[in-house]
Amino acid sequence: MAAETVRIDQTQETSVTARQRARFGYRYAYARSADSRAGGDPGQDYLVLREDGVRLAFALCDGVGQSFYGDLAARYLVDALVAWLTNEVPVTMEETVLKAALAAYLQALTGPATEMVAAHVLPVGIPSMLRDVLEQKRRLGSESMFVCGRLDLPCAEYPEGRLILAWMGDSRLRIWGPQGERTPKWVRGGNSAERWSTRRGLVNGEPHVIVLPVSFRGRPRVQSVMAYSDGLALLDRYSSPPSDAELSDLIDRAGKLPTSDDISFVEVWTGSRPPRIASAIPRVVDLIAAVVNGSLQLRWAGAEGASHYELDVRGKETFWAETPELFYRLDVAAPGLYEVRVRAWRAGEYGPWSESVNISVPAPEAAPKLADVPASRELLAAPELVPTMPVEYAPPLSPAPESRRQALQPAAGPPGAPSPHPARGRGMGGRQLRAAGFMVTGLLVLCAVLALLLKGPGGEMLRRRTPTPTAVVTEPSVSQTSAIPSVFPPAATHVAPWATPTHAPTLAPTNTPTATPTTPPPPRASPTTSGLLESLELGTQD
């Protein structure tokens, strides 16, 4: 059978496409991020798959957007990896040999890759500042993360078959056997700091490589292998490969999230495609949606055995959430018509979606402007708006009429309620009283100085020229009112007493818990392939 190559177009979306061969099958999909679609830019991900009915090789790359045109590195690296897996991979099952050969190959790619980056022509008409930034990035090179693999069905060279998987970065790699998913924990997640650079080659580590037999004594050990970029992180919680319809739904939903990123996906299975077993989780019923105080509130009846529920809200904006409760409140920003549905989850398996409910979110009422609010006596008579006496001295005010005094009083509360302004008096403001006190104190000091001068030697001359008897100045006290000399301005006829201050409760000090240092566990060595083989055979997970 002639070899066939599937090459993804980075400038457009590729819907979920599946192909079944005599002894294996595969499916793939591709979608750009929301920003790339809106700007008409190519995606940073890239995917190539080549097979001839007996062997299959694939490579999936996620270009680093902060580097110089990450799509360049992704495209260059994918083609190079597929060429190596197809034509140059050593004929062996030894991981160390394959890892060393791949690391040397990747490092040798930096020369021609650097020339490719140097020859890349920048778009015409871009701002000079942006051009300078791109030229700086060009000197650092273009970077990409990757996942790749080769499947050899049982043959003379490999009686049990061979599966080679290698990766660097945070793209996902998952493996299923007869007993379900058997992806080792040290394979999951990845490290976003790991990558390949057109200028530096391997960055922050070396490629990870595992080698597995496809079967053992005629029994299958590997049934399905799945790889996808981090833009499809919604798929992480699935314990089994989703159906084509569910996969398309996931890609569509991920593309509408605020965290939308490029998506590349590939799955390869041995034999016939494993059938999707119908879930035993019942459908969610009695879904009710309502808009209360600008929030979309949902409520539904529980499904037996469900661990949590997944919500899908679509309209002008797309929302996705999970909750263990039977209700959820969502603050929808944009008004419009929304479609809402819910489904139950249990142990990584999902039930069918509920019947969709359509609800219209109205536009919020326009807040009244200040000019639209009619003036009222209550607003004018509010304590905060009552004018106070300026700090400078002013002649005393005559008592206000009884009707005016009543209008200036704050609204009376219930019996025993504290004053709305406990720190304020109802006469002169605090600033005015403090200023008056300073003036009285200063004049008293002046009078005392004059008295001392009169008692001294120079005072004799003053007493001869001024036979008027000296007035005795009495120091005022808190408990009694002192007579004020005639040189002072006359006092106001009525001063309201100070309001009784309220004491704030004293907060008891609380003891802040001290974090107890813990000893970090010793580093765990990466398990060997033999442990992974045992997990695939016995149905245990590392």
Side-chain angles (χ1 to χ4, degrees), residues 385-459:
L385 301 180
V386 175
T388 57
M389 181 182 295
V391 176
E392 295 80 14
Y393 170 74
L397 299 176
S398 58
E402 185 65 20
S403 59
R404 177 60 178 166
R405 288 203 300 270
Q406 291 177 0
L408 294 177
Q409 301 299 329
S419 170
H421 302 285
R424 292 189 182 183
R426 288 196 295 267
M428 292 192 298
R431 294 173 60 187
Q432 287 73 18
L433 289 177
R434 285 193 297 272
F438 293 151
M439 294 174 61
V440 171
T441 303
L443 291 174
L444 289 176
V445 171
L446 179 60
C447 292
V449 172
L450 291 175
L452 292 175
L453 292 175
L454 291 174
K455 290 180 181 181

Side-chain angles (χ1 to χ4, degrees), residues 148-286:
C148 65
R150 168 168 168 158
L151 171 67
D152 290 281
L153 295 175
C155 58
E157 293 177 333
Y158 310 105
E160 301 294 346
R162 180 181 69 163
L163 176 65
I164 303 173
L165 297 172
W167 70 95
M168 287 187 74
D170 62 358
S171 294
R172 276 55 167 175
L173 177 63
R174 303 174 68 180
I175 307 169
W176 279 268
Q179 306 300 324
E181 183 173 8
R182 292 296 176 260
T183 307
K185 293 181 180 178
W186 57 277
V187 175
R188 294 183 181 179
N191 183 356
S192 59
E194 299 175 348
R195 59 196 61 184
W196 176 83
S197 168
T198 59
R199 187 180 69 86
R200 296 181 290 167
L202 303 177
V203 179
N204 295 324
E206 295 183 340
H208 308 275
V209 177
I210 58 176
V211 184
L212 302 171
V214 178
S215 61
F216 179 73
R217 295 179 181 177
R219 292 188 301 170
R221 276 191 168 179
V222 177
Q223 287 188 325
S224 176
V225 177
M226 182 185 297
Y228 53 95
S229 58
D230 61 339
L232 196 56
L234 290 176
L235 185 55
D236 291 349
R237 68 187 190 279
Y238 282 66
S239 63
S240 60
S243 64
D244 290 349
E246 179 66 19
L247 179 59
S248 298
D249 185 73
L250 275 176
I251 294 174
D252 179 63
R253 191 188 318 168
K256 294 180 179 178
L257 292 176
T259 56
S260 171
D261 197 1
D262 297 329
I263 294 173
S264 50
F265 169 91
V266 61
E267 182 188 6
V268 180
W269 58 84
T270 58
S272 300
R273 187 175 183 179
R276 176 74 175 95
I277 301 174
S279 174
I281 304 176
R283 181 191 298 270
V284 173
V285 296
D286 298 335

Side-chain angles (χ1 to χ4, degrees), residues 264-317:
S264 50
F265 169 91
V266 61
E267 182 188 6
V268 180
W269 58 84
T270 58
S272 300
R273 187 175 183 179
R276 176 74 175 95
I277 301 174
S279 174
I281 304 176
R283 181 191 298 270
V284 173
V285 296
D286 298 335
L287 174 61
I288 300 175
V291 178
V292 180
N293 296 330
S295 298
L296 179 58
Q297 300 191 11
L298 309 175
R299 187 176 295 274
W300 57 89
E304 184 178 358
S307 60
H308 63 280
Y309 298 88
E310 177 186 1
L311 290 81
D312 184 26
V313 181
R314 303 190 184 194
K316 269 192 173 181
E317 299 179 345

Side-chain angles (χ1 to χ4, degrees), residues 126-143:
I126 62 175
S128 58
M129 184 177 296
L130 177 58
R131 182 177 294 272
D132 293 340
V133 172
L134 292 175
E135 290 296 343
Q136 292 178 5
K137 289 186 175 183
R138 190 201 296 268
R139 289 189 288 270
L140 298 176
S142 183
E143 299 177 346

